Amino acid sequence: MMDVVSAYWPHVLAAISIVTGAVAIAHAAMTKEDVRSAAGWVGVILLSPILGAFVYLIAGVNRIRHTALASRRSARHALWQEFYGPAVPHHAVAECFSKQFLPMKQLGDTVTRFPLTAGNKIDILAAGDDAYRAIAKAIEDARHSIILETYIFDRDRIGLRIADLLIAAQARGVSVRVLIDSVGARYSVPSIVRYLRDREVRTETFNGKVITGLRLPYANLRTHRKIIVVDNEIAFTGGMNIREAFSQEFHGQTFARDTHFRITGPIVADLFFVAAEDWHFASGEKLAA
């Protein structure tokens, strides 16, 4: 055995160097939010085989971030337990469907950070007019809170209709938050952002200061999400932005086709957390569920 090790130790060392370096580089590239930091660690790992990976393990892994993510997951689980009951267990998936779906459940729970839940109801809104009517009704009935995140929010007839409902909700005491992508906000001139802000609706744009804020590497980091959560009870998501191009009322048979969804149940909490994280990124404000 010792003879084999003494004869092939350079090969073993090279294999260890390649494996540890590849793992460390992949971790740095996937977890570092700052491009310069990721590039720097990749350089250290490449230029110092084995030692560089060891240094990255000690000094480069953001354990505070991991702790924070674990804390957020625990908070979400507590919220689901209090309001919706436990997440769907593995054996329930196997019993209701088949064991072959267990890896899919595990993948979804891990990648999305939200466990599979039961008791959700999803209504398909196949046309823009259907979607905007349902959204308008939910905003009109809102009692406590509204968070709206979208890529495009045009200042056209549909946009102003939704904006005026948000303004009215804010006026009657509903907490309203509107997040529009900074690029999507410029699809119409003048922008709807100023219209909402002038009427005291808290409105932010997503990732706008890409040069003055030294965030140029993230200039193409846009939010294409379309999420509306009302009173943490009803949510809307899908493919439609807020613009009259999706409305047959204003565009006849040339209106744009897409699909939207009206959702109730435990998944509403998931959508709220996604929108709330983006709101915190843009505004610095943390929203309570």
Side-chain angles (χ1 to χ4, degrees):
M1 181 65 179
M2 293 301 297
D3 293 339
V4 173
V5 172
S6 61
Y8 292 100
W9 71 265
H11 304 82
V12 174
L13 196 62
I16 294 174
S17 175
I18 291 171
V19 171
T20 57
V23 171
I25 287 172
H27 188 277
M30 294 176 65
T31 61
K32 294 300 178 185
E33 297 181 0
D34 184 80
V35 174
R36 291 162 295 185
S37 175
W41 278 113
V42 168
V44 169
I45 296 165
L46 287 175
L47 295 174
S48 303
I50 300 179
L51 178 61
F54 179 75
V55 172
Y56 177 74
L57 175 65
I58 300 299
V61 177
N62 190 341
R63 291 174 175 79
I64 295 177
R65 178 176 180 271
H66 290 179
T67 302
L69 288 174
S71 176
R72 280 191 291 178
R73 281 194 292 268
S74 298
R76 291 189 184 108
H77 281 288
L79 182 69
W80 289 315
Q81 290 285 345
E82 180 179 355
F83 291 102
Y84 305 121
V88 176
H90 275 63
H91 68 81
V93 174
E95 292 170 1
C96 293
F97 302 100
S98 171
K99 289 184 178 180
Q100 67 185 21
F101 289 98
L102 290 178
M104 185 180 297
K105 176 190 181 313
Q106 183 64 42
L107 176 64
D109 291 354
T110 303
V111 172
T112 66
R113 297 177 291 143
F114 300 106
L116 179 67
T117 55
N120 298 298
K121 183 175 184 293
I122 302 176
D123 298 315
I124 298 175
L125 306 170
D129 292 322
D130 296 334
Y132 299 137
R133 275 193 297 269
I135 291 169
K137 179 68 165 56
I139 295 174
E140 287 176 332
D141 294 342
R143 305 182 307 277
H144 309 297
S145 64
I146 300 169
I147 182 168
L148 185 156
E149 177 179 2
T150 187
Y151 177 58
I152 300 171
F153 194 147
D154 277 349
R155 187 168 174 167
D156 55 17
R157 286 168 289 187
I158 286 294
L160 289 170
R161 183 181 295 175
I162 299 299
D164 288 338
L165 290 172
L166 293 169
I167 293 164
Q170 175 77 22
R172 66 174 183 270
V174 177
S175 174
V176 179
R177 299 292 185 271
V178 177
L179 178 61
I180 309 170
D181 186 80
S182 61
V183 173
R186 294 175 172 85
Y187 272 55
S188 63
V189 179
S191 171
I192 198 72
V193 173
R194 180 54 57 192
Y195 184 85
L196 290 166
R197 286 176 176 172
D198 287 347
R199 290 155 182 82
E200 300 182 353
V201 174
R202 181 73 184 276
T203 306
E204 297 289 343
T205 56
F206 184 87
N207 200 26
K209 299 177 180 178
V210 295
I211 296 179
T212 57
L214 298 179
R215 290 156 71 176
L216 188 59
Y218 305 103
N220 199 39
L221 176 59
R222 313 267 45 98
T223 175
H224 286 272
R225 289 170 174 150
K226 294 92 177 174
I227 298 173
I228 303 174
V229 179
V230 178
D231 290 338
N232 292 328
E233 296 175 356
I234 303 172
F236 297 88
T237 190
M240 295 185 201
N241 291 288
I242 301 176
R243 59 188 334 196
E244 65 180 45
F246 291 97
S247 171
Q248 187 175 5
E249 176 185 353
F250 296 116
H251 281 257
Q253 293 304 314
T254 64
F255 74 99
R257 270 75 168 177
D258 214 318
T259 307
H260 227 61
F261 305 93
R262 181 185 185 275
I263 302 168
T264 56
I267 198 173
V268 171
D270 303 351
L271 290 168
F272 171 81
F273 277 114
V274 171
E277 285 182 342
D278 289 344
W279 176 262
H280 179 247
F281 174 83
S283 70
E285 179 186 18
K286 293 184 178 181
L287 300 178

